[in-house]
Amino acid sequence: MEKILIRGGKPLYGTIEIDGMKNAALPIVFAALLVPGKCHIDNLPAVKDIALSLKILETLGARVEMLGPNSVEIDATCACPILPSADLTRKMRASYYLLGAGLGRFGSAMVGYPGGCDFGKRPIDQHVKGFESLGAIVEESEDGLITATVGEGGLHSGNIFFDVVSVGATLNVMMAAVTAPGQTIIENAAREPHIVDLANFLNTCGAQITGAGTDTIKIKGVSELHGCSYAIIPDMIEAGTYMAAVAATSGQVKINNVIPKHLESITAKLEEMGVSVEELDDAVVVTRTEPLQKCNIKTLPYPGFPTDMQPQFCALFCLAEGTCHLTEGVWDNRFRYVDELRRLGAQIEVNGKTASVTGGAPLHGTSVRAVDLRGGAAMVIAGLCADGQTVIDDIHLIERGYHDLVGKLTAVGADICRVVYPDPIVQLS
Ligand code: EPZ
């Protein structure tokens, strides 16, 4: 059983290198299923969800060869639309990209209901709406098996207006539409950088996608895609997490391999709190020497403040002067981690979709757990600032999306380590 131990109070100084973006790499890895050829993908983040997605592709018959810790060659020439193991697919939300990629390649796909972080309801009705507009029939069995198939005519182009801005549905329908004859138009599309990254990857494979990054995406179906070489964009959420960490502890850290434009909403909020963020071509330098000023945030789809930075800023708000209000504008319930912050001494009131954080109360180290990926990152940030020792359990959830978080923070002066405890011997009564 692995845990993270932190002794708080150390300011952070030095340099951190950012990896490729997990939420861009996941759809791109699954999109390789669309290609009857070799795809060489670089800047792949070495995180557990990526390893899991590659394993799922192999169970479908794709050949996967790691060329280095952050490089892979995927050849899906011999892949086929069999049902992947539910033991694998239920471990993460991104498994549902098999539906779009399978429809686009084979005209059929099956997947067990996807897992992922628990934010309350996580419906897929917009994915289904998109697939059905392309001529697919989507069914869900009692036990959660989702199948998508097309009639003899195969997929056709469609016009989809999403009722909700959905990253996953935008990515999934884009994948299904790349080989659908005619022009498909997706409106009210998500505009995240990872939508653009998938579109760029698919266009490098011969697709004809325009408008990614705007709310209207047009896809002209092509008969077949071909292999390519591609590099994943840097992870704006990993970068934002370390920006919040140095803002919390004080100090100065240069964060390399970023696209500053993707960090604009995070930078704006840090500057509002009195933190300096210097933007370089592919790096930012974050400096905090003064007390943190309070501010308010509402999370929104890109280019608004990202929901995936919400827990990390809630931890940061615990150190600000005054009361900060944090409203979750994307998910039904993304405050499950607040109870864990309270165990550290945080003063947080949650009322519906808004958390009010009263800063200034000292945080005291204790045992907490990662309730999900970004909630776990919030525990790390709080632990870096708490008196005494903080022990974080369930760190496998953090390692789904952060490669070598302990190593990266140690390198900038944090007193943090990863400890493996023997699993408790079950006492037979
Ligand atoms: C992706 O989830 C990310 N996951 C999430 O990041 C992120 O929080 C989310 O996008 C929003 O940016 C991955 O990329 C693997 P959505 P996704 O579809 O695609 C509603 C992390 O920490 N909705 O954009 O599942 C939904 O309930 C993870 O890395 C429908 O109503 O999110 C939510 O309220 C956590 N019907 C909103 O839309 C649908 O069919 C946004 O969801 C689909 C979504």
Side-chain angles (χ1 to χ4, degrees), residues 22-23 26 93-94 96-97 117 119 121-127 164-169 192 307-308 330-331 334 373-374:
K22 167 182 85 85
N23 289 351
L26 285 166
R93 180 97 179 143
Y96 59 24
Y97 294 136
C117 301
F119 305 142
K121 289 196 316 296
R122 292 191 77 174
I124 61 165
D125 58 305
Q126 299 301 303
H127 301 241
V164 177
V165 175
S166 163
V167 168
E192 275 70 3
T307 176
D308 292 348
V330 174
W331 294 104
R334 192 171 192 165
L373 168 56
R374 308 303 174 184

PDB file of all heavy atoms in Angstrom, residues 22-23 26 93-94 96-97 117 119 121-127 164-169 192 307-308 330-331 334 373-374, ligand 1:
ATOM      1  N   LYS A  22      -2.347  14.398 -20.288  1.00  0.00           N
ATOM      2  CA  LYS A  22      -3.087  13.137 -20.151  1.00  0.00           C
ATOM      3  C   LYS A  22      -4.405  13.180 -20.934  1.00  0.00           C
ATOM      4  O   LYS A  22      -4.715  12.265 -21.698  1.00  0.00           O
ATOM      5  CB  LYS A  22      -3.404  12.878 -18.684  1.00  0.00           C
ATOM      6  CG  LYS A  22      -4.444  11.773 -18.447  1.00  0.00           C
ATOM      7  CD  LYS A  22      -4.795  11.553 -16.995  1.00  0.00           C
ATOM      8  CE  LYS A  22      -5.864  12.469 -16.499  1.00  0.00           C
ATOM      9  NZ  LYS A  22      -7.246  12.021 -16.751  1.00  0.00           N
ATOM     10  N   ASN A  23      -5.151  14.274 -20.794  1.00  0.00           N
ATOM     11  CA  ASN A  23      -6.489  14.319 -21.391  1.00  0.00           C
ATOM     12  C   ASN A  23      -6.487  14.596 -22.886  1.00  0.00           C
ATOM     13  O   ASN A  23      -7.532  14.545 -23.528  1.00  0.00           O
ATOM     14  CB  ASN A  23      -7.352  15.327 -20.643  1.00  0.00           C
ATOM     15  CG  ASN A  23      -7.713  14.821 -19.254  1.00  0.00           C
ATOM     16  OD1 ASN A  23      -7.458  13.650 -18.934  1.00  0.00           O
ATOM     17  ND2 ASN A  23      -8.271  15.674 -18.426  1.00  0.00           N
ATOM     18  N   LEU A  26      -5.084  10.571 -24.082  1.00  0.00           N
ATOM     19  CA  LEU A  26      -6.062   9.485 -24.024  1.00  0.00           C
ATOM     20  C   LEU A  26      -6.891   9.395 -25.304  1.00  0.00           C
ATOM     21  O   LEU A  26      -6.918   8.336 -25.948  1.00  0.00           O
ATOM     22  CB  LEU A  26      -6.954   9.649 -22.790  1.00  0.00           C
ATOM     23  CG  LEU A  26      -6.275   9.269 -21.475  1.00  0.00           C
ATOM     24  CD1 LEU A  26      -7.084   9.771 -20.275  1.00  0.00           C
ATOM     25  CD2 LEU A  26      -6.064   7.768 -21.373  1.00  0.00           C
ATOM     26  N   ARG A  93     -12.680   6.733 -17.286  1.00  0.00           N
ATOM     27  CA  ARG A  93     -13.755   7.342 -18.088  1.00  0.00           C
ATOM     28  C   ARG A  93     -13.418   7.248 -19.571  1.00  0.00           C
ATOM     29  O   ARG A  93     -14.270   7.038 -20.397  1.00  0.00           O
ATOM     30  CB  ARG A  93     -13.865   8.802 -17.655  1.00  0.00           C
ATOM     31  CG  ARG A  93     -14.915   9.574 -18.379  1.00  0.00           C
ATOM     32  CD  ARG A  93     -16.155   9.602 -17.559  1.00  0.00           C
ATOM     33  NE  ARG A  93     -17.193  10.366 -18.227  1.00  0.00           N
ATOM     34  CZ  ARG A  93     -18.477  10.007 -18.180  1.00  0.00           C
ATOM     35  NH1 ARG A  93     -18.832   8.919 -17.549  1.00  0.00           N
ATOM     36  NH2 ARG A  93     -19.390  10.722 -18.779  1.00  0.00           N
ATOM     37  N   ALA A  94     -12.129   7.404 -19.887  1.00  0.00           N
ATOM     38  CA  ALA A  94     -11.704   7.555 -21.293  1.00  0.00           C
ATOM     39  C   ALA A  94     -11.965   6.301 -22.110  1.00  0.00           C
ATOM     40  O   ALA A  94     -11.890   6.319 -23.339  1.00  0.00           O
ATOM     41  CB  ALA A  94     -10.225   7.902 -21.341  1.00  0.00           C
ATOM     42  N   TYR A  96     -14.558   5.227 -22.959  1.00  0.00           N
ATOM     43  CA  TYR A  96     -15.690   5.391 -23.871  1.00  0.00           C
ATOM     44  C   TYR A  96     -15.255   5.942 -25.236  1.00  0.00           C
ATOM     45  O   TYR A  96     -16.034   6.005 -26.180  1.00  0.00           O
ATOM     46  CB  TYR A  96     -16.825   6.192 -23.279  1.00  0.00           C
ATOM     47  CG  TYR A  96     -16.567   7.615 -22.823  1.00  0.00           C
ATOM     48  CD1 TYR A  96     -15.529   8.403 -23.320  1.00  0.00           C
ATOM     49  CD2 TYR A  96     -17.397   8.194 -21.862  1.00  0.00           C
ATOM     50  CE1 TYR A  96     -15.329   9.708 -22.906  1.00  0.00           C
ATOM     51  CE2 TYR A  96     -17.196   9.493 -21.433  1.00  0.00           C
ATOM     52  CZ  TYR A  96     -16.161  10.238 -21.956  1.00  0.00           C
ATOM     53  OH  TYR A  96     -15.992  11.531 -21.506  1.00  0.00           O
ATOM     54  N   TYR A  97     -13.971   6.340 -25.362  1.00  0.00           N
ATOM     55  CA  TYR A  97     -13.493   6.739 -26.688  1.00  0.00           C
ATOM     56  C   TYR A  97     -13.447   5.545 -27.648  1.00  0.00           C
ATOM     57  O   TYR A  97     -13.335   5.703 -28.867  1.00  0.00           O
ATOM     58  CB  TYR A  97     -12.112   7.383 -26.591  1.00  0.00           C
ATOM     59  CG  TYR A  97     -12.104   8.701 -25.850  1.00  0.00           C
ATOM     60  CD1 TYR A  97     -11.131   8.999 -24.903  1.00  0.00           C
ATOM     61  CD2 TYR A  97     -13.105   9.649 -26.067  1.00  0.00           C
ATOM     62  CE1 TYR A  97     -11.142  10.197 -24.213  1.00  0.00           C
ATOM     63  CE2 TYR A  97     -13.113  10.858 -25.379  1.00  0.00           C
ATOM     64  CZ  TYR A  97     -12.132  11.118 -24.453  1.00  0.00           C
ATOM     65  OH  TYR A  97     -12.139  12.314 -23.757  1.00  0.00           O
ATOM     66  N   CYS A 117     -13.565   9.431 -12.210  1.00  0.00           N
ATOM     67  CA  CYS A 117     -13.774  10.127 -10.933  1.00  0.00           C
ATOM     68  C   CYS A 117     -15.280  10.302 -10.677  1.00  0.00           C
ATOM     69  O   CYS A 117     -16.062  10.492 -11.596  1.00  0.00           O
ATOM     70  CB  CYS A 117     -13.110  11.496 -10.981  1.00  0.00           C
ATOM     71  SG  CYS A 117     -11.350  11.404 -11.293  1.00  0.00           S
ATOM     72  N   PHE A 119     -18.097  12.428  -9.710  1.00  0.00           N
ATOM     73  CA  PHE A 119     -18.570  13.821  -9.543  1.00  0.00           C
ATOM     74  C   PHE A 119     -20.086  13.857  -9.570  1.00  0.00           C
ATOM     75  O   PHE A 119     -20.675  14.825 -10.008  1.00  0.00           O
ATOM     76  CB  PHE A 119     -18.036  14.708 -10.682  1.00  0.00           C
ATOM     77  CG  PHE A 119     -16.565  14.698 -10.853  1.00  0.00           C
ATOM     78  CD1 PHE A 119     -16.005  14.731 -12.135  1.00  0.00           C
ATOM     79  CD2 PHE A 119     -15.707  14.616  -9.768  1.00  0.00           C
ATOM     80  CE1 PHE A 119     -14.628  14.725 -12.308  1.00  0.00           C
ATOM     81  CE2 PHE A 119     -14.333  14.607  -9.930  1.00  0.00           C
ATOM     82  CZ  PHE A 119     -13.806  14.662 -11.200  1.00  0.00           C
ATOM     83  N   LYS A 121     -23.591  12.620 -11.207  1.00  0.00           N
ATOM     84  CA  LYS A 121     -24.017  12.068 -12.509  1.00  0.00           C
ATOM     85  C   LYS A 121     -22.916  12.300 -13.548  1.00  0.00           C
ATOM     86  O   LYS A 121     -22.313  13.367 -13.591  1.00  0.00           O
ATOM     87  CB  LYS A 121     -25.278  12.778 -12.999  1.00  0.00           C
ATOM     88  CG  LYS A 121     -26.535  12.464 -12.242  1.00  0.00           C
ATOM     89  CD  LYS A 121     -27.830  12.857 -12.969  1.00  0.00           C
ATOM     90  CE  LYS A 121     -27.844  14.217 -13.624  1.00  0.00           C
ATOM     91  NZ  LYS A 121     -27.727  15.370 -12.808  1.00  0.00           N
ATOM     92  N   ARG A 122     -22.619  11.286 -14.356  1.00  0.00           N
ATOM     93  CA  ARG A 122     -21.722  11.476 -15.498  1.00  0.00           C
ATOM     94  C   ARG A 122     -22.362  10.811 -16.712  1.00  0.00           C
ATOM     95  O   ARG A 122     -21.959   9.777 -17.188  1.00  0.00           O
ATOM     96  CB  ARG A 122     -20.330  10.915 -15.208  1.00  0.00           C
ATOM     97  CG  ARG A 122     -19.583  11.700 -14.146  1.00  0.00           C
ATOM     98  CD  ARG A 122     -18.123  11.346 -14.029  1.00  0.00           C
ATOM     99  NE  ARG A 122     -17.317  11.934 -15.117  1.00  0.00           N
ATOM    100  CZ  ARG A 122     -15.976  11.849 -15.151  1.00  0.00           C
ATOM    101  NH1 ARG A 122     -15.329  11.197 -14.223  1.00  0.00           N
ATOM    102  NH2 ARG A 122     -15.296  12.404 -16.149  1.00  0.00           N
ATOM    103  N   PRO A 123     -23.459  11.416 -17.238  1.00  0.00           N
ATOM    104  CA  PRO A 123     -24.201  10.802 -18.343  1.00  0.00           C
ATOM    105  C   PRO A 123     -23.403  10.807 -19.647  1.00  0.00           C
ATOM    106  O   PRO A 123     -22.387  11.507 -19.759  1.00  0.00           O
ATOM    107  CB  PRO A 123     -25.428  11.700 -18.473  1.00  0.00           C
ATOM    108  CG  PRO A 123     -24.988  13.015 -17.943  1.00  0.00           C
ATOM    109  CD  PRO A 123     -24.007  12.711 -16.848  1.00  0.00           C
ATOM    110  N   ILE A 124     -23.841  10.023 -20.616  1.00  0.00           N
ATOM    111  CA  ILE A 124     -23.214  10.027 -21.947  1.00  0.00           C
ATOM    112  C   ILE A 124     -24.255  10.296 -23.028  1.00  0.00           C
ATOM    113  O   ILE A 124     -24.067   9.926 -24.192  1.00  0.00           O
ATOM    114  CB  ILE A 124     -22.451   8.708 -22.222  1.00  0.00           C
ATOM    115  CG1 ILE A 124     -23.386   7.506 -22.179  1.00  0.00           C
ATOM    116  CG2 ILE A 124     -21.306   8.501 -21.249  1.00  0.00           C
ATOM    117  CD1 ILE A 124     -22.746   6.262 -22.790  1.00  0.00           C
ATOM    118  N   ASP A 125     -25.351  10.933 -22.636  1.00  0.00           N
ATOM    119  CA  ASP A 125     -26.433  11.175 -23.600  1.00  0.00           C
ATOM    120  C   ASP A 125     -25.992  12.009 -24.797  1.00  0.00           C
ATOM    121  O   ASP A 125     -26.485  11.810 -25.920  1.00  0.00           O
ATOM    122  CB  ASP A 125     -27.608  11.847 -22.903  1.00  0.00           C
ATOM    123  CG  ASP A 125     -27.195  13.169 -22.249  1.00  0.00           C
ATOM    124  OD1 ASP A 125     -26.246  13.166 -21.441  1.00  0.00           O
ATOM    125  OD2 ASP A 125     -27.795  14.206 -22.576  1.00  0.00           O
ATOM    126  N   GLN A 126     -25.036  12.907 -24.613  1.00  0.00           N
ATOM    127  CA  GLN A 126     -24.588  13.722 -25.741  1.00  0.00           C
ATOM    128  C   GLN A 126     -23.724  12.920 -26.716  1.00  0.00           C
ATOM    129  O   GLN A 126     -23.769  13.139 -27.927  1.00  0.00           O
ATOM    130  CB  GLN A 126     -23.803  14.948 -25.234  1.00  0.00           C
ATOM    131  CG  GLN A 126     -24.629  15.872 -24.351  1.00  0.00           C
ATOM    132  CD  GLN A 126     -25.868  16.405 -25.065  1.00  0.00           C
ATOM    133  OE1 GLN A 126     -25.790  17.029 -26.114  1.00  0.00           O
ATOM    134  NE2 GLN A 126     -27.047  16.111 -24.499  1.00  0.00           N
ATOM    135  N   HIS A 127     -22.975  11.967 -26.161  1.00  0.00           N
ATOM    136  CA  HIS A 127     -22.222  11.058 -27.034  1.00  0.00           C
ATOM    137  C   HIS A 127     -23.214  10.273 -27.905  1.00  0.00           C
ATOM    138  O   HIS A 127     -23.056  10.174 -29.125  1.00  0.00           O
ATOM    139  CB  HIS A 127     -21.409  10.048 -26.206  1.00  0.00           C
ATOM    140  CG  HIS A 127     -20.413  10.625 -25.275  1.00  0.00           C
ATOM    141  ND1 HIS A 127     -19.064  10.389 -25.358  1.00  0.00           N
ATOM    142  CD2 HIS A 127     -20.564  11.439 -24.194  1.00  0.00           C
ATOM    143  CE1 HIS A 127     -18.419  11.031 -24.403  1.00  0.00           C
ATOM    144  NE2 HIS A 127     -19.306  11.677 -23.674  1.00  0.00           N
ATOM    145  N   VAL A 164     -25.143  20.262 -24.187  1.00  0.00           N
ATOM    146  CA  VAL A 164     -24.220  20.616 -23.100  1.00  0.00           C
ATOM    147  C   VAL A 164     -22.828  20.651 -23.710  1.00  0.00           C
ATOM    148  O   VAL A 164     -22.520  19.808 -24.565  1.00  0.00           O
ATOM    149  CB  VAL A 164     -24.245  19.512 -21.998  1.00  0.00           C
ATOM    150  CG1 VAL A 164     -23.249  19.825 -20.901  1.00  0.00           C
ATOM    151  CG2 VAL A 164     -25.636  19.341 -21.433  1.00  0.00           C
ATOM    152  N   VAL A 165     -21.992  21.586 -23.318  1.00  0.00           N
ATOM    153  CA  VAL A 165     -20.612  21.582 -23.818  1.00  0.00           C
ATOM    154  C   VAL A 165     -19.903  20.394 -23.172  1.00  0.00           C
ATOM    155  O   VAL A 165     -19.744  20.343 -21.947  1.00  0.00           O
ATOM    156  CB  VAL A 165     -19.892  22.895 -23.462  1.00  0.00           C
ATOM    157  CG1 VAL A 165     -18.418  22.810 -23.877  1.00  0.00           C
ATOM    158  CG2 VAL A 165     -20.551  24.079 -24.162  1.00  0.00           C
ATOM    159  N   SER A 166     -19.533  19.431 -23.996  1.00  0.00           N
ATOM    160  CA  SER A 166     -18.936  18.195 -23.465  1.00  0.00           C
ATOM    161  C   SER A 166     -17.629  17.891 -24.187  1.00  0.00           C
ATOM    162  O   SER A 166     -17.621  17.660 -25.406  1.00  0.00           O
ATOM    163  CB  SER A 166     -19.901  17.023 -23.666  1.00  0.00           C
ATOM    164  OG  SER A 166     -19.210  15.790 -23.535  1.00  0.00           O
ATOM    165  N   VAL A 167     -16.533  17.843 -23.424  1.00  0.00           N
ATOM    166  CA  VAL A 167     -15.222  17.492 -23.996  1.00  0.00           C
ATOM    167  C   VAL A 167     -15.292  16.088 -24.597  1.00  0.00           C
ATOM    168  O   VAL A 167     -14.963  15.869 -25.761  1.00  0.00           O
ATOM    169  CB  VAL A 167     -14.127  17.572 -22.917  1.00  0.00           C
ATOM    170  CG1 VAL A 167     -12.818  16.941 -23.405  1.00  0.00           C
ATOM    171  CG2 VAL A 167     -13.901  19.015 -22.484  1.00  0.00           C
ATOM    172  N   GLY A 168     -15.753  15.137 -23.802  1.00  0.00           N
ATOM    173  CA  GLY A 168     -15.753  13.747 -24.247  1.00  0.00           C
ATOM    174  C   GLY A 168     -16.627  13.521 -25.452  1.00  0.00           C
ATOM    175  O   GLY A 168     -16.235  12.832 -26.398  1.00  0.00           O
ATOM    176  N   ALA A 169     -17.823  14.121 -25.441  1.00  0.00           N
ATOM    177  CA  ALA A 169     -18.736  13.907 -26.571  1.00  0.00           C
ATOM    178  C   ALA A 169     -18.169  14.549 -27.837  1.00  0.00           C
ATOM    179  O   ALA A 169     -18.254  13.971 -28.933  1.00  0.00           O
ATOM    180  CB  ALA A 169     -20.115  14.482 -26.244  1.00  0.00           C
ATOM    181  N   GLU A 192     -11.586  23.043 -25.682  1.00  0.00           N
ATOM    182  CA  GLU A 192     -10.331  22.789 -24.965  1.00  0.00           C
ATOM    183  C   GLU A 192      -9.154  22.540 -25.906  1.00  0.00           C
ATOM    184  O   GLU A 192      -9.339  22.012 -27.014  1.00  0.00           O
ATOM    185  CB  GLU A 192     -10.521  21.586 -24.021  1.00  0.00           C
ATOM    186  CG  GLU A 192     -11.098  21.897 -22.668  1.00  0.00           C
ATOM    187  CD  GLU A 192     -12.579  22.310 -22.675  1.00  0.00           C
ATOM    188  OE1 GLU A 192     -13.202  22.295 -23.763  1.00  0.00           O
ATOM    189  OE2 GLU A 192     -13.098  22.646 -21.613  1.00  0.00           O
ATOM    190  N   THR A 307     -12.245  23.311 -14.597  1.00  0.00           N
ATOM    191  CA  THR A 307     -12.757  22.555 -13.454  1.00  0.00           C
ATOM    192  C   THR A 307     -11.675  21.638 -12.875  1.00  0.00           C
ATOM    193  O   THR A 307     -11.666  21.363 -11.674  1.00  0.00           O
ATOM    194  CB  THR A 307     -14.000  21.727 -13.844  1.00  0.00           C
ATOM    195  OG1 THR A 307     -14.407  20.937 -12.728  1.00  0.00           O
ATOM    196  CG2 THR A 307     -13.739  20.811 -15.030  1.00  0.00           C
ATOM    197  N   ASP A 308     -10.738  21.202 -13.725  1.00  0.00           N
ATOM    198  CA  ASP A 308      -9.698  20.288 -13.245  1.00  0.00           C
ATOM    199  C   ASP A 308      -8.647  20.983 -12.397  1.00  0.00           C
ATOM    200  O   ASP A 308      -7.727  20.340 -11.884  1.00  0.00           O
ATOM    201  CB  ASP A 308      -9.023  19.564 -14.410  1.00  0.00           C
ATOM    202  CG  ASP A 308      -9.994  18.603 -15.080  1.00  0.00           C
ATOM    203  OD1 ASP A 308     -11.073  18.349 -14.505  1.00  0.00           O
ATOM    204  OD2 ASP A 308      -9.686  18.137 -16.194  1.00  0.00           O
ATOM    205  N   VAL A 330     -19.168  23.131 -13.862  1.00  0.00           N
ATOM    206  CA  VAL A 330     -19.169  22.052 -14.862  1.00  0.00           C
ATOM    207  C   VAL A 330     -19.793  20.774 -14.323  1.00  0.00           C
ATOM    208  O   VAL A 330     -20.646  20.154 -14.965  1.00  0.00           O
ATOM    209  CB  VAL A 330     -17.722  21.776 -15.344  1.00  0.00           C
ATOM    210  CG1 VAL A 330     -17.666  20.559 -16.261  1.00  0.00           C
ATOM    211  CG2 VAL A 330     -17.166  23.015 -16.065  1.00  0.00           C
ATOM    212  N   TRP A 331     -19.363  20.330 -13.126  1.00  0.00           N
ATOM    213  CA  TRP A 331     -19.829  19.052 -12.573  1.00  0.00           C
ATOM    214  C   TRP A 331     -20.876  19.253 -11.494  1.00  0.00           C
ATOM    215  O   TRP A 331     -20.876  20.286 -10.810  1.00  0.00           O
ATOM    216  CB  TRP A 331     -18.637  18.266 -12.014  1.00  0.00           C
ATOM    217  CG  TRP A 331     -17.671  17.839 -13.064  1.00  0.00           C
ATOM    218  CD1 TRP A 331     -16.454  18.388 -13.348  1.00  0.00           C
ATOM    219  CD2 TRP A 331     -17.851  16.794 -14.010  1.00  0.00           C
ATOM    220  NE1 TRP A 331     -15.872  17.739 -14.412  1.00  0.00           N
ATOM    221  CE2 TRP A 331     -16.711  16.762 -14.838  1.00  0.00           C
ATOM    222  CE3 TRP A 331     -18.884  15.867 -14.248  1.00  0.00           C
ATOM    223  CZ2 TRP A 331     -16.559  15.845 -15.866  1.00  0.00           C
ATOM    224  CZ3 TRP A 331     -18.725  14.955 -15.287  1.00  0.00           C
ATOM    225  CH2 TRP A 331     -17.580  14.956 -16.079  1.00  0.00           C
ATOM    226  N   ARG A 334     -18.330  18.289  -7.230  1.00  0.00           N
ATOM    227  CA  ARG A 334     -16.889  18.083  -7.290  1.00  0.00           C
ATOM    228  C   ARG A 334     -16.237  18.609  -6.016  1.00  0.00           C
ATOM    229  O   ARG A 334     -15.140  19.138  -6.033  1.00  0.00           O
ATOM    230  CB  ARG A 334     -16.286  18.742  -8.530  1.00  0.00           C
ATOM    231  CG  ARG A 334     -14.846  18.286  -8.739  1.00  0.00           C
ATOM    232  CD  ARG A 334     -14.248  18.717 -10.038  1.00  0.00           C
ATOM    233  NE  ARG A 334     -13.006  17.996 -10.238  1.00  0.00           N
ATOM    234  CZ  ARG A 334     -12.350  17.918 -11.412  1.00  0.00           C
ATOM    235  NH1 ARG A 334     -12.813  18.548 -12.464  1.00  0.00           N
ATOM    236  NH2 ARG A 334     -11.238  17.216 -11.509  1.00  0.00           N
ATOM    237  N   LEU A 373      -8.501  12.055  -8.587  1.00  0.00           N
ATOM    238  CA  LEU A 373      -7.226  12.532  -9.142  1.00  0.00           C
ATOM    239  C   LEU A 373      -6.885  13.949  -8.687  1.00  0.00           C
ATOM    240  O   LEU A 373      -5.836  14.195  -8.069  1.00  0.00           O
ATOM    241  CB  LEU A 373      -7.298  12.446 -10.674  1.00  0.00           C
ATOM    242  CG  LEU A 373      -6.228  13.132 -11.496  1.00  0.00           C
ATOM    243  CD1 LEU A 373      -4.847  12.665 -11.115  1.00  0.00           C
ATOM    244  CD2 LEU A 373      -6.500  12.908 -12.970  1.00  0.00           C
ATOM    245  N   ARG A 374      -7.738  14.907  -8.932  1.00  0.00           N
ATOM    246  CA  ARG A 374      -7.404  16.295  -8.626  1.00  0.00           C
ATOM    247  C   ARG A 374      -7.631  16.601  -7.153  1.00  0.00           C
ATOM    248  O   ARG A 374      -6.948  17.456  -6.587  1.00  0.00           O
ATOM    249  CB  ARG A 374      -8.211  17.257  -9.498  1.00  0.00           C
ATOM    250  CG  ARG A 374      -8.140  16.976 -10.978  1.00  0.00           C
ATOM    251  CD  ARG A 374      -6.721  16.976 -11.565  1.00  0.00           C
ATOM    252  NE  ARG A 374      -6.776  16.544 -12.969  1.00  0.00           N
ATOM    253  CZ  ARG A 374      -5.742  16.363 -13.766  1.00  0.00           C
ATOM    254  NH1 ARG A 374      -4.536  16.538 -13.268  1.00  0.00           N
ATOM    255  NH2 ARG A 374      -5.871  15.961 -15.005  1.00  0.00           N
TER     256      ARG A 374
HETATM  257  C1  EPZ B   1     -13.219  15.406 -19.403  1.00  0.00           C
HETATM  258  O1  EPZ B   1     -14.260  14.619 -18.835  1.00  0.00           O
HETATM  259  C2  EPZ B   1     -12.004  15.206 -18.518  1.00  0.00           C
HETATM  260  N1  EPZ B   1     -11.644  13.785 -18.493  1.00  0.00           N
HETATM  261  C3  EPZ B   1     -12.290  15.675 -17.104  1.00  0.00           C
HETATM  262  O2  EPZ B   1     -11.053  15.642 -16.400  1.00  0.00           O
HETATM  263  C4  EPZ B   1     -12.761  17.131 -17.115  1.00  0.00           C
HETATM  264  O3  EPZ B   1     -13.170  17.495 -15.813  1.00  0.00           O
HETATM  265  C5  EPZ B   1     -13.925  17.311 -18.098  1.00  0.00           C
HETATM  266  O4  EPZ B   1     -13.569  16.806 -19.400  1.00  0.00           O
HETATM  267  C6  EPZ B   1     -14.322  18.774 -18.253  1.00  0.00           C
HETATM  268  O5  EPZ B   1     -13.219  19.504 -18.725  1.00  0.00           O
HETATM  269  C7  EPZ B   1     -10.901  13.310 -19.503  1.00  0.00           C
HETATM  270  O6  EPZ B   1     -10.544  14.016 -20.423  1.00  0.00           O
HETATM  271  C8  EPZ B   1     -10.517  11.848 -19.408  1.00  0.00           C
HETATM  272  P1  EPZ B   1     -17.525  16.469 -20.151  1.00  0.00           P
HETATM  273  P2  EPZ B   1     -15.637  14.394 -19.683  1.00  0.00           P
HETATM  274  O7  EPZ B   1     -18.183  15.502 -21.075  1.00  0.00           O
HETATM  275  O8  EPZ B   1     -15.328  14.404 -21.122  1.00  0.00           O
HETATM  276  C9  EPZ B   1     -22.076  16.796 -18.781  1.00  0.00           C
HETATM  277  C10 EPZ B   1      -9.451  14.992 -14.841  1.00  0.00           C
HETATM  278  O9  EPZ B   1      -9.358  15.415 -13.681  1.00  0.00           O
HETATM  279  N2  EPZ B   1     -22.330  15.778 -19.821  1.00  0.00           N
HETATM  280  O10 EPZ B   1     -16.887  17.681 -20.706  1.00  0.00           O
HETATM  281  O11 EPZ B   1     -16.315  13.200 -19.106  1.00  0.00           O
HETATM  282  C11 EPZ B   1     -21.279  16.235 -17.611  1.00  0.00           C
HETATM  283  O12 EPZ B   1     -22.125  15.594 -16.677  1.00  0.00           O
HETATM  284  C12 EPZ B   1     -10.815  14.661 -15.390  1.00  0.00           C
HETATM  285  O13 EPZ B   1      -8.497  14.848 -15.634  1.00  0.00           O
HETATM  286  C13 EPZ B   1     -23.639  15.437 -20.107  1.00  0.00           C
HETATM  287  O14 EPZ B   1     -24.573  15.959 -19.515  1.00  0.00           O
HETATM  288  O15 EPZ B   1     -16.444  15.698 -19.268  1.00  0.00           O
HETATM  289  C14 EPZ B   1     -20.634  17.475 -17.047  1.00  0.00           C
HETATM  290  O16 EPZ B   1     -21.562  18.140 -16.213  1.00  0.00           O
HETATM  291  C15 EPZ B   1     -11.884  14.658 -14.324  1.00  0.00           C
HETATM  292  N3  EPZ B   1     -23.882  14.509 -21.074  1.00  0.00           N
HETATM  293  C16 EPZ B   1     -20.362  18.328 -18.294  1.00  0.00           C
HETATM  294  O17 EPZ B   1     -21.227  17.810 -19.309  1.00  0.00           O
HETATM  295  C17 EPZ B   1     -22.864  13.910 -21.772  1.00  0.00           C
HETATM  296  O18 EPZ B   1     -23.141  13.077 -22.658  1.00  0.00           O
HETATM  297  C18 EPZ B   1     -18.918  18.251 -18.807  1.00  0.00           C
HETATM  298  O19 EPZ B   1     -18.601  16.889 -19.016  1.00  0.00           O
HETATM  299  C19 EPZ B   1     -21.534  14.267 -21.460  1.00  0.00           C
HETATM  300  C20 EPZ B   1     -21.279  15.213 -20.482  1.00  0.00           C
END
